[in-house]
Amino acid sequence: EVCDQACEGDSTQMCGGTRQNQDMYQMHDCNNMPSLPCNHPPAAVAHAQLFKSSYYAGALTPCRNAQRSPMETKKNIRCEIVCEEGYWNSENSLECTEMGHRLSYSWAQVIGSGICE
């Protein structure tokens, strides 16, 4: 390697060169990124109560916890389903999940399913 520039801390040493390509790296803490809101509520679940959501422009949602605030990727993640009387919740995997790649393009969407039987 050819070093033809003096070091910043010790000018008697040669540390870098102007004749070579340089690499630059960045570190990101992806877990420190803000939560993303799901822009659309999940579809209705058969035999589940529906709640009018002021956040989702008056749309009906099966998520009790999405009436005033959105489902998000880091808080208010899982949909709280309330089954109609006489039915019980046998499955609930509805949650707001981040899709795509966090450092380039990502979005949030509800995935999973809910069953009241």
Side-chain angles (χ1 to χ4, degrees):
E1 292 185 33
V2 177
C3 294
D4 61 2
Q5 289 186 336
C7 299
E8 282 186 29
D10 183 357
S11 60
T12 62
Q13 298 285 324
M14 302 307 271
C15 293
T18 56
R19 296 185 206 144
Q20 296 180 359
N21 292 335
Q22 302 292 322
D23 290 332
M24 180 182 282
Y25 299 92
Q26 271 185 310
M27 292 181 65
H28 297 274
D29 181 1
C30 292
N31 293 324
N32 197 23
M33 302 289 275
S35 185
L36 295 173
C38 278
N39 292 328
H40 304 285
V45 173
H47 305 294
Q49 292 181 17
L50 293 175
F51 302 93
K52 189 172 184 176
S53 173
S54 58
Y55 179 82
Y56 291 114
L60 296 177
T61 175
C63 307
R64 175 175 52 189
N65 55 321
Q67 294 178 70
R68 292 181 189 88
S69 60
M71 294 177 63
E72 297 186 56
T73 56
K74 288 191 176 183
K75 57 184 179 179
N76 204 22
I77 297 169
R78 179 139 329 215
C79 176
E80 295 174 11
I81 295 175
V82 178
C83 295
E84 295 171 345
E85 190 172 330
Y87 293 89
W88 59 281
N89 192 330
S90 63
E91 179 185 327
N92 183 9
S93 61
L94 287 171
E95 62 181 34
C96 185
T97 303
E98 186 172 353
M99 309 296 280
H101 188 274
R102 191 147 247 239
L103 295 178
S104 57
Y105 180 75
S106 65
W107 67 95
Q109 74 181 47
V110 178
I111 62 169
S113 62
I115 299 174
C116 290
E117 45 184 23

